């Protein structure tokens, strides 16, 4: 671990600052939108813009990097992100904010592709697993830290918009000044959605539903808190609880994934996530229970991302996994685009509890579909499946592919040890 930190600390520090800036602007816009008098539907459309941009960025960023290189793409996208952050409080209009969110989503997608390529290149075969784990931990720490910064100034002013703009600008310094060489960049042509759906219907349907759940958490949690009458500090704690739960529950769920039928684990985790959302809906007026609900919803939904990818890979040849990973990320992005809009509509009809109603519905739907798929074909034996690879929904296809390659290496090492 020390060796990983010594060789890649600049990249990891830069990625953490990126997540702090991104996490702040996601929460801040939800709160500031309420202050400016935006309707719930208007705020939800603004929030969905990020995922529209991210979806297109994940497709276009690799070609941009191949054409002009990592450094130029990095610098160009960084300047645009910083500019949009400053423009938010200057021009408080939902249409302008929506366009800004689309641009920021596009830029962050390219930034993640670039930074993750660099980090993957900096890691060696011996420390790749530790580098991947550190990267995921750093991402979570950054998002949670962002919520703590929400209480340092009035969200109705300019300061809280300046802070993420500065952090985003600073995040590129350690990355661009790192001694790590610029990596060669190449991506595998993704499998068609039809091919992936035929390979793993549960993986595809689950990733689509999970995209809606993630975008509701990332885009609408702060809006829920504002409409529920929570104070700024309470909203920060509420949003943080989703990611703290993910950080803590990710590893035990991954351990179980390598030792049992993954469809059963997907169904149970989805159902428990739905139950957690129901508790938030019924007992949300009691703040400690609201935090418990957020902890379990975030803690169970985030590992499902890695779990669904691992389950899909159980039916693929190793050489096809990288191509399928890009398609799975795209399917998740399709589900994420509609998430904030549907959540906003439900909150307009049902009030703040519509946030949890939406998450509960998708969680139970995934559990029911997992149970149905268990009746359609036999699951591969535990001995024939690859390792669970930790990855977050905010990662680009580069990190997802990197995680799968690591999982394949570990599985092959285990097989060789078993033969000996």
């Amino acid at each position: 671990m020390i060796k990983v930190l010594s060789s890649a600390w600049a990249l990891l520090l830069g990625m953490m600052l990126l997540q702090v800036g991104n996490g702040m602007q996601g929460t801040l816009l939800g709160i500031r939108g309420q202050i400016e008098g935006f309707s719930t539907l208007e705020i939800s459309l603004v929030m969905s813009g990020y995922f529209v941009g991210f979806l297109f960025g994940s497709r276009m960023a690799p070609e941009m990097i191949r054409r002009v290189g990592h450094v130029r793409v990095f610098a160009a996208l960084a300047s645009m992100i910083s500019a949009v952050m400053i423009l938010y409080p200057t021009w408080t209009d939902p249409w302008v904010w929506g366009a800004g969110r689309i641009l920021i989503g596009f830029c962050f997608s390219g930034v993640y592709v670039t930074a993750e390529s660099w980090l993957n290149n900096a890691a060696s075969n011996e420390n790749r697993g530790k580098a991947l784990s550190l990267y995921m931990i750093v991402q979570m720490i950054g998002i949670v830290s962002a919520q703590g910064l929400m209480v340092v100034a009035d969200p109705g002013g300019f300061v809280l918009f300046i802070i993420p703009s500065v952090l985003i600008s600073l995040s590129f310094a350690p990355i661009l000044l790192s001694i790590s060489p610029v990596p060669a960049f190449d991506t595998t042509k993704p499998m068609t959605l039809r091919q992936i759906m035929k390979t793993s219907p549960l993986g595809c349907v689950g990733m689509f539903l999970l995209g809606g759940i993630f975008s509701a958490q990332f885009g609408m949690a702060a809006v829920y808190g504002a409409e529920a009458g929570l104070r700024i500090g309470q909203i920060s704690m509420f949003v943080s609880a989703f990611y703290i739960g993910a950080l803590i529950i990710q590893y035990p769920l991954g351990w179980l994934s390598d030792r049992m039928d993954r469809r059963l684990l997907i169904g149970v985790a989805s159902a428990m996530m739905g139950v957690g959302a129901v508790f938030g809906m019924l007992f949300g007026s009691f703040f400690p229970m609201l935090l418990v609900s957020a902890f379990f919803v975030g803690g169970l939904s985030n590992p499902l991302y890695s779990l669904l990818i691992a389950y899909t890979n159980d039916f693929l040849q190793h050489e096809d996994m990288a191509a399928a990973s890009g398609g799975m990320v795209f399917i998740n992005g399709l589900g994420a685009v509609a998430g904030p809009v549907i959540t906003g509509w439900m909150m307009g009809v049902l009030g703040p509890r519509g946030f949890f109603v939406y998450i509960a519905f998708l969680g139970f739907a995934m559990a029911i579909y997992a149970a149905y798929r268990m009746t359609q074909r036999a699951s591969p034996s535990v001995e024939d499946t690859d390792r669970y690879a930790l990855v977050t929904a905010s990662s680009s296809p580069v990190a997802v592919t990197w995680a799968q390659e690591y999982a394949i290496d570990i599985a092959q090492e285990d097989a060789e040890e078993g033969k000996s």
Side-chain angles (χ1 to χ4, degrees), residues 17-18 20-21 24 149 162-172:
L17 292 174
L18 275 172
V20 174
M24 274 195 75
L149 290 174
I162 294 173
I163 292 174
S165 177
V166 171
L167 290 175
I168 293 295
S169 299
L170 291 175
S171 70
F172 296 96

Side-chain angles (χ1 to χ4, degrees), residues 109-419:
S109 178
V111 163
Y112 289 149
V113 168
T114 309
E116 288 165 1
S117 298
W118 243 312
L119 186 59
N120 186 28
N121 188 70
S124 64
N125 291 333
E126 292 75 22
N127 61 25
R128 195 170 304 277
K130 292 183 176 65
L132 181 63
S133 297
L134 275 174
Y135 172 60
M136 298 305 163
I137 292 171
V138 159
Q139 281 193 314
M140 292 295 182
I141 291 174
I143 293 177
V144 172
S145 299
Q147 311 315 311
L149 290 174
M150 290 298 301
V151 300
V152 303
D154 179 11
F158 282 79
V159 174
L160 288 182
F161 289 92
I162 294 173
I163 292 174
S165 177
V166 171
L167 290 175
I168 293 295
S169 299
L170 291 175
S171 70
F172 296 96
I175 295 175
L176 293 176
L177 295 176
S178 171
I179 61 174
S180 300
V182 176
F185 188 84
D186 189 24
T187 56
T188 304
K189 183 179 179 181
M191 294 175 66
T192 65
L193 301 186
R194 184 187 296 272
Q195 289 175 312
I196 302 175
M197 184 68 183
K198 184 177 180 180
T199 300
S200 177
L202 175 57
C204 291
V205 172
M207 286 295 275
F208 182 80
L209 296 175
L210 200 58
I213 295 171
F214 278 138
S215 61
Q217 291 179 32
F218 186 72
M220 297 298 289
V223 179
Y224 166 86
E227 289 209 354
L230 300 181
R231 298 187 300 274
I232 302 300
Q234 290 177 320
I235 293 175
S236 298
M237 293 173 64
F238 173 62
V239 176
S240 297
F242 286 102
Y243 298 100
I244 293 173
L247 192 60
I248 294 175
I249 299 179
Q250 180 89 248
Y251 292 96
L253 211 64
W255 184 86
L256 287 172
S257 168
D258 292 335
R259 290 162 175 79
M260 63 182 292
D261 186 340
R262 283 175 171 153
R263 296 172 303 177
L264 177 60
L265 187 58
I266 290 169
V268 172
S270 300
M272 291 177 65
M273 176 180 60
V275 171
V278 169
F279 269 82
M281 179 183 64
L282 296 177
F283 306 108
S285 58
F286 182 50
F287 186 65
M289 183 59 71
L290 187 64
L291 294 181
V292 171
S293 173
F295 178 89
F296 280 101
V297 168
L300 291 166
S301 62
N302 280 274
L304 277 170
Y305 186 82
S306 302
L307 185 54
L308 286 165
I309 291 177
Y311 174 73
T312 300
N313 286 341
D314 290 342
F315 300 96
L316 293 169
Q317 299 297 319
H318 286 171
E319 58 268 21
D320 295 327
M321 290 181 182
S325 295
M328 294 290 280
V329 172
F330 186 76
I331 291 171
N332 185 262
L334 289 176
V337 169
V341 178
I342 298 174
T343 307
W345 174 78
M346 294 188 71
M347 290 175 67
V349 174
L350 302 174
R353 66 176 180 171
F355 172 79
F356 282 114
V357 172
Y358 173 70
I359 293 176
F361 176 80
L362 294 186
F364 289 133
M366 195 187 308
I368 291 170
Y369 190 70
Y372 164 73
R373 289 303 307 172
M374 290 182 70
T375 67
Q376 299 303 299
R377 67 177 174 184
S379 176
S381 64
V382 175
E383 292 76 15
D384 295 331
T385 60
D386 285 327
R387 287 287 191 92
Y388 172 96
L390 175 62
V391 67
T392 66
S394 61
S395 302
S396 77
V398 172
V400 177
T401 302
W402 169 20
Q404 299 315 306
E405 292 172 350
Y406 171 69
I408 292 170
D409 291 342
I410 293 298
Q412 291 175 342
E413 291 175 5
D414 289 346
E416 291 174 0
E417 290 178 1
K419 292 179 182 179

